[in-house]
Amino acid sequence: MPAPSELETLAVEIAREAGELARRRRTEGVAIAATKSALADIVTEADREVEDLIRRRIAEARPDDGFLGEESGAERGASGITWVVDPIDGTVNYAYGIPVYAVSIAAVQGEPVAGEWEALAGAVLNPASGELFRASLGGGTWLGDVRVEVSEVTDAGALLGTGFGYDPATHAADLARVARVMPIARDVRRAGAAALDLAYVAAGKLDGYFERGLQPWDHAAGALLVTEAGGRVAVDDVDAIGRRLVVAAGPALFERLLAVASD
Ligand code: IPD
Ligand code: CA
């Protein structure tokens, strides 16, 4: 088994190359390739091209590892390690030209199923801002060259991130969750990229984050960033229609946020 720090180095190297490709394609203009689970759920040509690049680079460097990607599906490996990848998290921002999107790459061990794996390394890069968040198991979380930690709570209430699913049928429940959370919030942000929301919790730029409906590639890297920064993450609650609730925060806020965000 490689050291988690080696996997982190590889994740960062591939995220940089992938991020550069995404940024370049963005400047050339974005083509919507298809809609997915709902009309609002889109995939661009760049999502596919960037995932192909990441998948190729991982296969070159670690041919025995498995892969689980948003756009090209899953492949089991023989090594016990699986790479969980979102080539462009925040695709709608990307398509609209909002510079809040990220390449998210995680290496996990064990069953490649959210809630069952152990994350070993992760990188989340916003190519538009240059923010690079990285972590490895036991190695802490870093934003660029600076080690970061989750925030402490203040009397002003928590600055919280959240998101909404693409399926309009889920919006009422998502909004009811926001209403339940508001009493403990100083304000709520909906930035549009879950991987970055989690990275911001890790770096203390948000006090907490909650969202129901995340996919494994949305949170695989970001959750490790949070725990290695001293925070806590819950991913176990899956509702009757398969929507997973993800809650992340520093230790002082976590239980309170989990209680109000759960339904
Ligand atoms: C989406 C973003 C968004 C979150 C959605 C995700 P995508 O990922 O992370 O912030 O609210 O739940 O599906 O589609 O941009 O990769
Ligand atoms: Ca995503």
Side-chain angles (χ1 to χ4, degrees), residues 60-235:
E60 284 160 11
R62 298 196 46 86
D64 292 337
D65 292 356
F67 187 85
L68 174 61
E70 173 160 22
E71 313 303 343
S72 63
E75 188 184 332
R76 274 192 174 263
S79 66
I81 293 175
T82 302
W83 293 80
V84 186
V85 169
D86 195 338
I88 300 179
D89 182 48
T91 299
V92 174
N93 283 346
Y94 184 76
Y96 274 73
I98 298 172
V100 181
Y101 63 93
V103 177
S104 175
I105 301 178
V108 307
Q109 77 179 346
E111 273 305 295
V113 174
E116 291 181 29
W117 67 51
E118 179 180 39
L120 298 175
V124 173
L125 169 70
N126 177 349
S129 69
E131 288 166 308
L132 170 67
F133 303 85
R134 61 192 165 90
S136 60
L137 190 62
T141 301
W142 300 75
L143 167 52
D145 293 331
V146 179
R147 191 162 180 171
V148 293
E149 285 181 2
V150 294
S151 64
E152 316 241 321
V153 265
T154 70
D155 291 342
L159 185 62
L160 299 172
T162 192
F164 307 108
Y166 290 117
D167 180 357
T170 62
H171 290 165
D174 289 347
L175 290 169
R177 185 170 304 102
V178 172
R180 288 198 306 276
V181 164
M182 278 321 274
I184 66 166
R186 71 187 296 160
D187 207 341
V188 171
R189 301 284 181 265
R190 196 291 186 250
L196 279 176
D197 290 331
L198 288 163
Y200 271 34
V201 172
K205 292 169 184 278
L206 285 174
D207 297 313
Y209 165 75
F210 61 96
E211 177 169 353
R212 191 179 279 287
L214 289 196
Q215 299 294 331
W217 40 82
D218 297 319
H219 63 77
L224 180 67
L225 295 175
V226 172
T227 53
E228 282 298 320
R232 292 177 62 189
V233 181
V235 299

